[in-house]
mmCIF file of all heavy atoms in Angstrom:
data_model
loop_
_atom_site.group_PDB
_atom_site.id
_atom_site.type_symbol
_atom_site.label_atom_id
_atom_site.label_comp_id
_atom_site.label_asym_id
_atom_site.label_seq_id
_atom_site.Cartn_x
_atom_site.Cartn_y
_atom_site.Cartn_z
ATOM 1 N N SER A 912 -14.384 9.991 36.834
ATOM 2 C CA SER A 912 -13.135 9.558 36.190
ATOM 3 C C SER A 912 -13.078 8.081 35.860
ATOM 4 O O SER A 912 -12.017 7.455 35.953
ATOM 5 C CB SER A 912 -11.937 9.935 37.071
ATOM 6 O OG SER A 912 -11.848 11.328 37.226
ATOM 7 N N GLN A 913 -14.213 7.526 35.453
ATOM 8 C CA GLN A 913 -14.190 6.139 34.974
ATOM 9 C C GLN A 913 -13.607 6.114 33.564
ATOM 10 O O GLN A 913 -14.311 6.318 32.584
ATOM 11 C CB GLN A 913 -15.599 5.547 34.976
ATOM 12 C CG GLN A 913 -16.015 4.899 36.290
ATOM 13 C CD GLN A 913 -17.336 4.189 36.125
ATOM 14 O OE1 GLN A 913 -18.376 4.828 35.916
ATOM 15 N NE2 GLN A 913 -17.317 2.868 36.198
ATOM 16 N N SER A 914 -12.338 5.877 33.477
ATOM 17 C CA SER A 914 -11.677 5.762 32.174
ATOM 18 C C SER A 914 -10.390 4.979 32.320
ATOM 19 O O SER A 914 -9.724 5.025 33.356
ATOM 20 C CB SER A 914 -11.373 7.153 31.582
ATOM 21 O OG SER A 914 -10.321 7.784 32.291
ATOM 22 N N CYS A 915 -10.051 4.248 31.279
ATOM 23 C CA CYS A 915 -8.770 3.549 31.218
ATOM 24 C C CYS A 915 -8.335 3.522 29.759
ATOM 25 O O CYS A 915 -9.136 3.789 28.852
ATOM 26 C CB CYS A 915 -8.869 2.140 31.800
ATOM 27 S SG CYS A 915 -10.055 1.036 30.980
ATOM 28 N N PHE A 916 -7.074 3.204 29.531
ATOM 29 C CA PHE A 916 -6.577 3.226 28.157
ATOM 30 C C PHE A 916 -5.417 2.254 28.020
ATOM 31 O O PHE A 916 -4.925 1.700 29.000
ATOM 32 C CB PHE A 916 -6.164 4.641 27.748
ATOM 33 C CG PHE A 916 -4.961 5.192 28.467
ATOM 34 C CD1 PHE A 916 -3.706 5.129 27.882
ATOM 35 C CD2 PHE A 916 -5.088 5.788 29.711
ATOM 36 C CE1 PHE A 916 -2.589 5.639 28.533
ATOM 37 C CE2 PHE A 916 -3.977 6.308 30.372
ATOM 38 C CZ PHE A 916 -2.727 6.239 29.785
ATOM 39 N N GLU A 917 -4.988 2.066 26.792
ATOM 40 C CA GLU A 917 -3.849 1.228 26.473
ATOM 41 C C GLU A 917 -2.980 1.932 25.436
ATOM 42 O O GLU A 917 -3.371 2.963 24.883
ATOM 43 C CB GLU A 917 -4.292 -0.147 25.955
ATOM 44 C CG GLU A 917 -4.605 -1.155 27.044
ATOM 45 C CD GLU A 917 -3.408 -1.469 27.909
ATOM 46 O OE1 GLU A 917 -2.270 -1.536 27.378
ATOM 47 O OE2 GLU A 917 -3.583 -1.647 29.127
ATOM 48 N N ARG A 940 -4.680 -6.607 29.875
ATOM 49 C CA ARG A 940 -4.430 -5.532 30.835
ATOM 50 C C ARG A 940 -5.591 -4.538 30.866
ATOM 51 O O ARG A 940 -5.959 -4.033 31.920
ATOM 52 C CB ARG A 940 -3.109 -4.821 30.515
ATOM 53 C CG ARG A 940 -2.647 -3.879 31.613
ATOM 54 C CD ARG A 940 -1.227 -3.400 31.386
ATOM 55 N NE ARG A 940 -1.103 -2.584 30.188
ATOM 56 C CZ ARG A 940 0.044 -2.054 29.756
ATOM 57 N NH1 ARG A 940 1.160 -2.291 30.425
ATOM 58 N NH2 ARG A 940 0.094 -1.331 28.661
ATOM 59 N N MET A 941 -6.186 -4.281 29.700
ATOM 60 C CA MET A 941 -7.330 -3.375 29.683
ATOM 61 C C MET A 941 -8.539 -4.008 30.366
ATOM 62 O O MET A 941 -9.317 -3.313 31.033
ATOM 63 C CB MET A 941 -7.676 -2.956 28.262
ATOM 64 C CG MET A 941 -8.638 -1.777 28.222
ATOM 65 S SD MET A 941 -8.736 -1.032 26.573
ATOM 66 C CE MET A 941 -9.383 0.593 26.996
ATOM 67 N N MET A 942 -8.711 -5.305 30.228
ATOM 68 C CA MET A 942 -9.778 -5.989 30.943
ATOM 69 C C MET A 942 -9.575 -5.872 32.454
ATOM 70 O O MET A 942 -10.519 -5.628 33.215
ATOM 71 C CB MET A 942 -9.857 -7.454 30.525
ATOM 72 C CG MET A 942 -10.323 -7.675 29.103
ATOM 73 S SD MET A 942 -10.405 -9.436 28.651
ATOM 74 C CE MET A 942 -11.804 -9.968 29.650
ATOM 75 N N SER A 944 -7.928 -3.478 33.994
ATOM 76 C CA SER A 944 -8.186 -2.082 34.365
ATOM 77 C C SER A 944 -9.682 -1.813 34.471
ATOM 78 O O SER A 944 -10.159 -1.199 35.435
ATOM 79 C CB SER A 944 -7.566 -1.134 33.333
ATOM 80 O OG SER A 944 -6.159 -1.248 33.292
ATOM 81 N N ALA A 945 -10.434 -2.282 33.485
ATOM 82 C CA ALA A 945 -11.877 -2.050 33.474
ATOM 83 C C ALA A 945 -12.539 -2.696 34.692
ATOM 84 O O ALA A 945 -13.395 -2.081 35.348
ATOM 85 C CB ALA A 945 -12.485 -2.594 32.183
ATOM 86 N N SER A 946 -12.145 -3.907 35.006
ATOM 87 C CA SER A 946 -12.742 -4.602 36.148
ATOM 88 C C SER A 946 -12.495 -3.849 37.446
ATOM 89 O O SER A 946 -13.396 -3.723 38.291
ATOM 90 C CB SER A 946 -12.181 -6.022 36.251
ATOM 91 O OG SER A 946 -12.562 -6.803 35.137
ATOM 92 N N LEU A 948 -12.165 -0.731 37.832
ATOM 93 C CA LEU A 948 -12.918 0.523 37.813
ATOM 94 C C LEU A 948 -14.420 0.296 37.665
ATOM 95 O O LEU A 948 -15.169 1.242 37.417
ATOM 96 C CB LEU A 948 -12.413 1.415 36.674
ATOM 97 C CG LEU A 948 -10.957 1.890 36.808
ATOM 98 C CD1 LEU A 948 -10.503 2.568 35.530
ATOM 99 C CD2 LEU A 948 -10.793 2.815 38.002
ATOM 100 N N MET A 950 -16.026 -1.129 35.280
ATOM 101 C CA MET A 950 -16.436 -0.916 33.902
ATOM 102 C C MET A 950 -16.561 -2.283 33.230
ATOM 103 O O MET A 950 -15.860 -3.220 33.603
ATOM 104 C CB MET A 950 -15.407 -0.043 33.169
ATOM 105 C CG MET A 950 -15.177 1.315 33.821
ATOM 106 S SD MET A 950 -13.722 2.168 33.154
ATOM 107 C CE MET A 950 -14.301 2.613 31.541
ATOM 108 N N ARG A 985 -3.998 3.751 20.259
ATOM 109 C CA ARG A 985 -4.477 4.121 21.581
ATOM 110 C C ARG A 985 -5.922 3.659 21.791
ATOM 111 O O ARG A 985 -6.869 4.338 21.394
ATOM 112 C CB ARG A 985 -4.375 5.641 21.756
ATOM 113 C CG ARG A 985 -5.070 6.235 22.993
ATOM 114 C CD ARG A 985 -4.624 5.668 24.303
ATOM 115 N NE ARG A 985 -3.227 5.863 24.575
ATOM 116 C CZ ARG A 985 -2.696 6.967 25.095
ATOM 117 N NH1 ARG A 985 -3.457 8.021 25.360
ATOM 118 N NH2 ARG A 985 -1.400 7.029 25.342
ATOM 119 N N PRO A 986 -6.136 2.476 22.387
ATOM 120 C CA PRO A 986 -7.472 2.090 22.821
ATOM 121 C C PRO A 986 -7.836 2.861 24.088
ATOM 122 O O PRO A 986 -6.992 3.076 24.967
ATOM 123 C CB PRO A 986 -7.333 0.590 23.112
ATOM 124 C CG PRO A 986 -6.040 0.176 22.455
ATOM 125 C CD PRO A 986 -5.170 1.381 22.530
ATOM 126 N N VAL A 987 -9.078 3.265 24.198
ATOM 127 C CA VAL A 987 -9.537 4.002 25.378
ATOM 128 C C VAL A 987 -10.979 3.609 25.675
ATOM 129 O O VAL A 987 -11.761 3.339 24.752
ATOM 130 C CB VAL A 987 -9.403 5.531 25.172
ATOM 131 C CG1 VAL A 987 -10.229 6.002 23.977
ATOM 132 C CG2 VAL A 987 -9.799 6.295 26.422
ATOM 133 N N MET A 988 -11.323 3.512 26.951
ATOM 134 C CA MET A 988 -12.692 3.226 27.366
ATOM 135 C C MET A 988 -13.100 4.233 28.429
ATOM 136 O O MET A 988 -12.300 4.583 29.296
ATOM 137 C CB MET A 988 -12.806 1.817 27.932
ATOM 138 C CG MET A 988 -14.235 1.382 28.263
ATOM 139 S SD MET A 988 -14.290 -0.128 29.261
ATOM 140 C CE MET A 988 -13.457 -1.269 28.170
ATOM 141 N N PHE A 989 -14.347 4.708 28.358
ATOM 142 C CA PHE A 989 -14.800 5.716 29.317
ATOM 143 C C PHE A 989 -16.298 5.600 29.553
ATOM 144 O O PHE A 989 -17.037 5.052 28.720
ATOM 145 C CB PHE A 989 -14.446 7.126 28.837
ATOM 146 C CG PHE A 989 -14.908 7.441 27.446
ATOM 147 C CD1 PHE A 989 -16.181 7.929 27.195
ATOM 148 C CD2 PHE A 989 -14.048 7.244 26.367
ATOM 149 C CE1 PHE A 989 -16.600 8.212 25.908
ATOM 150 C CE2 PHE A 989 -14.465 7.524 25.072
ATOM 151 C CZ PHE A 989 -15.747 8.009 24.839
ATOM 152 N N ILE A 1041 -3.043 -0.573 37.479
ATOM 153 C CA ILE A 1041 -3.882 -0.551 36.280
ATOM 154 C C ILE A 1041 -3.626 0.724 35.498
ATOM 155 O O ILE A 1041 -3.085 1.692 36.025
ATOM 156 C CB ILE A 1041 -5.385 -0.688 36.624
ATOM 157 C CG1 ILE A 1041 -5.853 0.517 37.446
ATOM 158 C CG2 ILE A 1041 -5.655 -2.002 37.347
ATOM 159 C CD1 ILE A 1041 -7.363 0.586 37.610
ATOM 160 N N LYS A 1042 -4.056 0.717 34.232
ATOM 161 C CA LYS A 1042 -3.786 1.865 33.357
ATOM 162 C C LYS A 1042 -5.013 2.778 33.338
ATOM 163 O O LYS A 1042 -5.690 2.947 32.318
ATOM 164 C CB LYS A 1042 -3.406 1.384 31.954
ATOM 165 C CG LYS A 1042 -2.537 2.373 31.183
ATOM 166 C CD LYS A 1042 -1.931 1.706 29.968
ATOM 167 C CE LYS A 1042 -1.117 2.692 29.134
ATOM 168 N NZ LYS A 1042 0.095 3.158 29.826
ATOM 169 N N ALA A 1043 -5.292 3.347 34.500
ATOM 170 C CA ALA A 1043 -6.429 4.253 34.653
ATOM 171 C C ALA A 1043 -6.012 5.684 34.339
ATOM 172 O O ALA A 1043 -4.918 6.118 34.724
ATOM 173 C CB ALA A 1043 -6.971 4.180 36.080
ATOM 174 N N GLY A 1044 -6.891 6.416 33.667
ATOM 175 C CA GLY A 1044 -6.588 7.801 33.357
ATOM 176 C C GLY A 1044 -6.310 8.631 34.595
ATOM 177 O O GLY A 1044 -5.472 9.541 34.579
#
Side-chain angles (χ1 to χ4, degrees):
S912 298
Q913 272 188 293
S914 72
C915 60
F916 67 97
E917 276 298 323
R940 191 169 65 181
M941 193 166 201
M942 292 180 70
S944 296
S946 295
L948 296 171
M950 302 168 71
R985 169 57 61 83
V987 60
M988 186 193 300
F989 53 86
I1041 64 170
K1042 206 166 177 67

